[in-house]
């Protein structure tokens, strides 16, 4: 790991100023991805801007569910408001990684990193969430743009994630037994705008499963998914699973998510 300058700003404005002054800087929230990649020599930022001092954590429930970006996975999992409003989101958070990851990793950090096998992006996309930053609001459909890439500008900071309240929602994943990342994870939601389903772990990034959505639109139950076969077009194969197996898992996990939805 190479030398770097460390910053711990007390406000979002100060964090943005530091990032603009240092083009090779990286924001760090929980550090669950940045620190390991630096140790492996895969990242070497000139400066690290630690967002931990912003004290930007907490959950509020009104006509929508708003989760501040610095809220840890454990806090999301244990929040009474999250359990009441979107139980599937609390369950998702409670099954991320191990206890250390859940108590250090944050929802904002996970979404900004956009790992192709991360859990939160599927919830954001399926629920039609809005990502709030220091500069604007971005619909989840426009936010996730590809492998580890998002619509965020270089110095932009996520401040909160706002979730519309679904009629019901469910999440199921087939985890890699070592990393707990999703080999396939499917989040389904019965929303005011209709059925939505998002897949993580399949390839280069999270995506909406249109075949699953069309089937659930006819009836929001696992029975509606009988006979649905997902194309391998957006699905990748690797040493853990072939593209065909992952495509099959999408339907299996979608059925389990629909059965678990509440």
């Amino acid at each position: 790991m190479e030398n770097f300058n460390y910053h711990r700003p007390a406000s979002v404005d100060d964090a943005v100023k530091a990032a603009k002054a240092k083009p090779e800087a990286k924001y760090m929230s929980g550090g669950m991805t940045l620190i390991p990649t630096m140790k492996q020599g895969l990242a070497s930022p000139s400066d690290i801007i630690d967002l931990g001092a912003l004290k930007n954590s907490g959950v509020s429930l009104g006509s929508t569910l708003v989760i501040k970006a610095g809220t840890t996975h454990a806090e999301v999992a244990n929040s009474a408001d999250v359990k009441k409003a979107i139980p599937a989101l609390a369950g998702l958070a409670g099954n991320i990684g191990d206890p250390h990851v859940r108590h250090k990793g944050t929802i904002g950090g996970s979404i900004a990193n956009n790992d192709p096998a991360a859990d939160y992006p599927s919830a954001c996309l399926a629920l039609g969430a809005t990502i709030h930053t220091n500069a604007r609001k971005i619909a989840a459909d426009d936010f996730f743009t590809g492998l580890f890439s998002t619509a965020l500008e270089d110095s932009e900071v996520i401040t909160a994630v706002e979730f519309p309240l679904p009629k019901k929602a469910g999440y199921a994943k087939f985890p890699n037994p070592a990393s707990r990342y999703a080999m396939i994870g499917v989040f389904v939601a019965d929303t005011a705008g209709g059925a939505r389903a998002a897949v993580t772990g399949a390839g280069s990034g999270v995506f909406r499963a249109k075949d699953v959505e069309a089937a659930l639109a006819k009836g929001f139950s696992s029975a509606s998914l009988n006979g649905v076969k997902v194309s391998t077009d957006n699905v990748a194969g690797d040493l853990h699973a072939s593209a065909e197996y992952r495509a099959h898992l999408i339907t299996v996990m979608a059925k389990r998510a629909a059965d678990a939805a509440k």
Side-chain angles (χ1 to χ4, degrees):
M1 186 184 294
E2 298 183 10
N3 293 332
F4 57 86
N5 299 309
Y6 177 78
H7 308 265
R8 192 170 168 83
S11 71
V12 171
D13 287 345
D14 287 343
V16 172
K17 288 178 183 177
K20 288 182 176 179
K22 302 289 184 177
E24 299 302 317
K26 291 288 186 184
Y27 288 127
M28 181 177 73
S29 188
M32 296 296 95
T33 297
L34 181 59
I35 298 302
T37 54
M38 290 177 66
K39 286 182 176 180
Q40 295 169 26
L42 300 175
S44 54
S46 63
D47 297 70
I48 288 180
I49 303 169
D50 187 348
L51 304 178
L54 300 184
K55 302 187 185 304
N56 184 35
S57 66
V59 177
S60 59
L61 176 59
S63 59
T64 59
L65 179 72
V66 178
I67 304 177
K68 292 183 178 180
T71 307
T72 65
H73 312 324
E75 289 171 330
V76 174
N78 294 319
S79 166
D81 283 338
V82 178
K83 290 178 180 179
K84 176 183 177 182
I86 314 177
L89 186 59
L92 175 155
N95 283 291
I96 294 175
D98 56 29
H100 174 73
V101 169
R102 292 193 290 274
H103 282 84
K104 288 296 292 181
T106 67
I107 185 170
S110 175
I111 292 169
N113 187 51
N114 192 22
D115 189 291
D119 297 283
Y120 280 125
S122 66
C124 291
L125 200 54
L127 291 165
T130 299
I131 290 80
H132 295 227
T133 78
N134 60 299
R136 55 185 170 143
K137 299 177 182 179
I138 310 170
D141 283 305
D142 300 322
F143 183 82
F144 302 104
T145 57
L147 184 68
F148 291 105
S149 64
T150 70
L152 289 171
E153 299 293 338
D154 288 342
S155 59
E156 202 168 3
V157 178
I158 296 175
T159 56
V161 186
E162 182 177 8
F163 296 93
L165 305 184
K167 298 174 185 176
K168 61 170 62 175
Y171 180 65
K173 76 172 174 178
F174 191 90
N176 181 302
S179 69
R180 306 299 296 171
Y181 273 100
M183 286 175 60
I184 285 295
V186 181
F187 200 108
V188 299
D190 187 4
T191 75
R196 293 171 67 102
V199 177
T200 187
S204 61
V206 65
F207 63 88
R208 288 176 62 183
K210 298 297 186 179
D211 291 344
V212 173
E213 292 181 347
L216 290 176
K218 299 173 183 176
F220 200 86
S221 70
S222 59
S224 297
L225 295 167
N226 290 337
V228 172
K229 293 186 178 180
V230 177
S231 167
T232 58
D233 289 349
N234 293 320
V235 182
D238 57 24
L239 60 88
H240 299 294
S242 67
E244 291 76 15
Y245 182 57
R246 277 198 169 92
H248 170 69
L249 279 178
I250 291 173
T251 302
V252 174
M253 293 301 111
K255 286 184 175 182
R256 292 183 184 179
D259 281 336
K262 56 183 178 180

